[in-house]
Amino acid sequence: MTAPGPEGDKALLASAQAGNMGAFEELVERHRDRVYGLALRMTRSEADAAEISQETFLSAFQHLQSFRGEAAFGSWVHRIAANHALMRLRHRRVVQMAEEELKAPDFSERGTLLETPAPEWSKPAEERALDAELGEAIRRATDALPDAYREVFLLKDAEGLSYEQIAEATGDSVPAIKSRLHRARLALREAIDRFYKEP
Amino acid sequence: MYTCQDSINLLLDFLDGEMPAEVSAELREHLAGCPPCVEFVESYRATPGICREALKAKMPPEVARRLTQFLRSRLPPQGVP
Ligand SMILES: [Zn+2]
């Protein structure tokens, strides 16, 4: 039995680097859900997500010897997945929702907030435990974000990449990334708020 | 004096802790007199965590099976030479 988490990953990685395929397969098993989830939300396609998962782990295996373990295996493999998903999005021309349709709070002419957030927000996290319908509303709202906004939100807020890592992966500037992240958060916040306010 | 709109525009940097002291002081001053904005900040701050939970996915068993098959067909049985 190998320990769970990054420590166990380290032992499995060393074993895989020494040629133990079983250890590599266990690493795959540990990380495949998150790789698949990221690819699915990025591309919004189950078929693409399945292929990206294959490409990601094949590429991870091919570069196994050059991976020095300065980062956790998990972050490394998720960055590979992010890059593969980004490449796929770049090669795919889809009808994009206009940027102006991103939902944001309403202000008066004088810049005053017109609506107060729903009372549910102030409940402690465990009390607003995720219900299935809210989860569905969030997935719809995430899928509806324009690609450039959805990418940044998923990489930063779901995967925990740094602004610099995202800039490197997307080729965009850090200020542009921050501005999109802010608008994506506002749009998702609105979606959750509307869900709470539904009668 | 900052408006709600000014304050909300600054939230990302505010929560990242990357903001000149005088800007954050002005923002705090607005928040001190504006309960709706305080609630807005809380909801904005909570959004990534709620979404992270909602966006977790599991690889379907059939996809996982095909992934294992794919890797076994492409990788040497004894691992890295
Ligand atoms: Zn305000």
Side-chain angles (χ1 to χ4, degrees):
Chain A
M1 248 329 264
T2 313
E7 274 315 302
D9 281 1
K10 236 179 213 174
L12 287 169
L13 178 69
S15 179
Q17 283 175 327
N20 178 351
M21 285 306 293
F24 183 71
E25 288 193 357
E26 194 176 335
L27 282 171
V28 172
E29 205 172 304
R30 284 175 175 222
H31 294 279
R32 65 188 178 198
D33 286 344
R34 272 187 65 195
V35 162
Y36 178 81
L38 172 65
L40 178 63
R41 296 271 73 90
M42 293 267 275
T43 62
R44 300 174 293 188
S45 150
E46 287 173 11
D48 283 349
E51 285 180 18
I52 289 168
S53 305
Q54 296 187 345
E55 291 165 4
T56 297
F57 288 110
L58 179 61
S59 167
F61 183 82
Q62 287 163 342
H63 296 97
L64 211 53
Q65 295 308 331
S66 57
F67 180 65
R68 301 256 171 267
E70 65 280 3
F73 177 80
S75 347
W76 180 62
V77 91
H78 297 137
R79 282 227 300 286
I80 298 176
N83 283 324
H84 280 274
L86 284 168
M87 275 191 284
R88 216 163 258 252
L89 285 176
R90 297 289 180 274
H91 285 113
R92 193 173 77 181
R93 283 280 154 264
V94 288
V95 182
Q96 286 284 296
M97 185 179 80
E99 238 175 69
E100 300 72 54
E101 287 172 41
L102 275 174
K103 299 272 184 292
D106 290 324
F107 299 101
S108 75
E109 267 172 45
R110 303 176 61 195
T112 305
L113 200 54
L114 287 175
E115 224 183 302
T116 305
E120 276 81 357
W121 285 103
S122 55
K123 289 184 185 164
E126 52 288 2
E127 276 178 45
R128 41 183 167 76
L130 206 59
D131 83 47
E133 283 178 50
L134 175 58
E136 191 44 45
I138 290 171
R139 284 188 288 277
R140 269 201 311 274
T142 307
D143 286 355
L145 293 172
D147 285 353
Y149 293 77
R150 196 174 66 257
E151 281 162 25
V152 167
F153 179 78
L154 292 171
L155 295 178
K156 179 68 171 66
D157 282 349
E159 291 300 312
L161 266 62
S162 70
Y163 294 123
E164 290 69 25
Q165 287 171 333
I166 297 171
E168 201 191 317
T170 60
D172 299 318
S173 72
V174 170
I177 289 166
K178 285 187 176 183
S179 147
R180 283 187 215 139
L181 176 64
H182 179 60
R183 297 206 43 201
R185 282 178 179 174
L186 288 178
L188 293 171
R189 196 213 69 90
E190 290 288 316
I192 299 169
D193 200 45
R194 259 176 294 146
F195 179 86
Y196 285 150
K197 284 173 178 167
E198 270 174 12
Chain B
M1 249 324 236
Y2 282 177
T3 63
C4 298
Q5 196 162 10
D6 299 327
S7 309
I8 288 167
N9 284 338
L10 292 167
L11 281 187
L12 182 122
D13 286 334
F14 181 62
L15 295 180
D16 281 348
E18 281 178 16
M19 177 173 271
E22 62 274 18
V23 179
S24 111
E26 267 212 68
L27 178 52
R28 281 172 202 283
E29 195 187 317
H30 176 85
L31 294 178
C34 186
C37 265
V38 173
E39 286 181 48
F40 193 95
V41 175
E42 285 317 310
S43 65
Y44 180 95
R45 196 205 303 269
T47 295
I50 298 174
C51 292
R52 202 159 39 238
E53 275 307 307
L55 297 175
K56 277 188 183 156
K58 259 198 150 359
M59 182 179 271
E62 175 55 24
V63 176
R65 203 183 54 74
R66 275 189 284 128
L67 171 62
T68 306
Q69 245 177 18
F70 169 83
L71 291 173
R72 284 183 182 164
S73 73
R74 303 294 290 270
L75 305 181
Q78 286 315 308
V80 193

